[in-house]
Amino acid sequence: MEQLEKYFTEIGPVWSALIATTFTWLITALGASLVFFFKEVRRSIFDAMLGFTGGVMVAASFWSLLAPSIEHSEKMYPDFPWMPAAVGFLAGALFIFSLDKFMPHLHINFGDDESEGMKTKWHKTTLLMLAITLHNIPEGLAVGVMFGAASIGVGGEQMIPAAIALAIGIGLQNFPEGMAVSMPLRRHGVSRFKSFWFGQLSAIVEPVAGVLGAYAVIHMQPVLPYALAFAAGAMIYVVVEEVIPETQRDKYTDVSVLGFIGGFVVMMVLDVALG
């Protein structure tokens, strides 16, 4: 771990963010690649993995994003340390809310007539991929902002390990997200290669969002607490509006809740142990 921290310190925040989010994208591709070996996954396992995704995102939102945002705000705004976190959190949630209303997409376990966003005649393949892409925008942004924060000395020596822990946690929960696109497509008759292609493509936005997040923080340092909270608000919106409802549409609701608890604990342990 020390060598990894040294490496990320030497190459700078933008390259660090790019490498870390490329890792999370590759894990998505790994999850999507299971479509070459299986046509479908048992619904109970699928719901548990989606729950795990939600738990990781909620834990990361607090331990890796909101807590550092408030801590940094105490130095910038000693009288109103809550203000940047509150404003950023609301802005992040409203940003995803706007995308959700205008970007055509279809949630994983929803019927063809339950697509959201602007009405379109786009194929279900595209709509499913766009739904997962909504997940990945705040995730990539969060990793980039963390590495950007480390580059300007926020959080001391523990910020880079915290950024690495966040990237590992996001990578773990990206594995089922890759499956969440590729497997339903395969069940609907799409070829294995196309199912894999769209599954991995849903996460290609993460390196882009990660680089933009790191670049914004190092060039506009006052936005850091807002940016951290922005990513947290965006992720919480995705969990409550999309991930949790998708796990509650069958008889395996208890399994998905246990998956959520497991994901939360794993991300919490990663952040505390490494960060």
Side-chain angles (χ1 to χ4, degrees):
M1 178 59 73
E2 291 182 1
Q3 292 181 340
L4 191 60
E5 293 173 31
K6 183 180 179 180
Y7 173 73
F8 279 124
T9 302
E10 291 174 350
I11 65 175
V14 174
W15 279 105
S16 296
L18 178 60
I19 292 172
T21 49
T22 298
F23 162 77
T24 62
W25 165 52
L26 290 174
I27 297 298
T28 307
L30 184 63
S33 71
L34 291 184
V35 77
F36 290 114
F37 307 99
F38 308 99
K39 190 171 183 177
E40 60 182 352
V41 176
R42 290 175 58 185
R43 182 60 184 268
S44 59
I45 297 175
F46 193 66
D47 283 350
M49 296 180 78
L50 280 179
F52 181 88
T53 292
V56 169
M57 293 175 74
V58 170
S61 295
F62 176 75
W63 296 98
S64 300
L65 299 169
L66 278 178
S69 172
I70 294 172
E71 181 181 351
H72 188 58
S73 298
E74 290 174 348
K75 303 172 184 177
M76 296 176 61
Y77 307 95
D79 295 328
F80 305 99
W82 49 266
M83 188 266 291
V87 171
F89 190 87
L90 288 171
L94 290 174
F95 172 71
I96 299 298
F97 170 80
S98 300
L99 290 181
D100 190 65
K101 291 303 178 184
F102 292 103
M103 180 187 291
H105 62 284
L106 177 65
H107 296 318
I108 298 162
N109 291 325
F110 285 40
D112 294 357
D113 59 342
E114 296 180 278
S115 62
E116 299 181 0
M118 297 178 64
K119 298 301 179 182
T120 179
K121 295 182 179 179
W122 290 354
H123 195 274
K124 184 175 182 178
T125 302
T126 304
L127 296 177
L128 282 169
M129 186 188 72
L130 289 175
I132 298 297
T133 300
L134 283 175
H135 283 198
N136 294 323
I137 292 174
E139 293 168 7
L141 181 65
V143 174
V145 168
M146 288 287 284
F147 278 108
S151 72
I152 60 177
V154 174
E157 297 179 353
Q158 297 304 310
M159 202 59 171
I160 287 184
I164 295 172
L166 178 61
I168 293 172
I170 295 297
L172 288 175
Q173 62 94 43
N174 272 6
F175 186 83
E177 286 189 358
M179 293 173 52
V181 177
S182 62
M183 292 295 183
L185 294 181
R186 181 60 183 153
R187 286 200 304 271
H188 284 81
V190 179
S191 70
R192 283 187 171 88
F193 179 78
K194 282 189 176 180
S195 298
F196 165 75
W197 177 256
F198 284 109
Q200 63 82 29
L201 194 62
S202 65
I204 197 65
V205 70
E206 287 197 6
V208 177
V211 168
L212 289 176
Y215 187 85
V217 168
I218 61 179
H219 287 86
M220 295 178 287
Q221 296 185 19
V223 308
L224 174 61
Y226 298 94
L228 288 166
F230 182 95
M235 286 208 288
I236 291 296
Y237 185 92
V238 166
V239 172
V240 176
E241 195 276 337
E242 184 171 341
V243 177
I244 291 178
E246 288 173 4
T247 66
Q248 303 298 301
R249 295 173 67 88
D250 210 316
K251 59 183 179 181
Y252 303 109
T253 55
D254 290 344
V255 174
S256 66
V257 172
L258 292 175
F260 182 97
I261 298 299
F264 188 97
V265 170
V266 167
M267 186 64 235
M268 178 181 66
V269 169
L270 280 174
D271 190 84
V272 175
L274 300 181

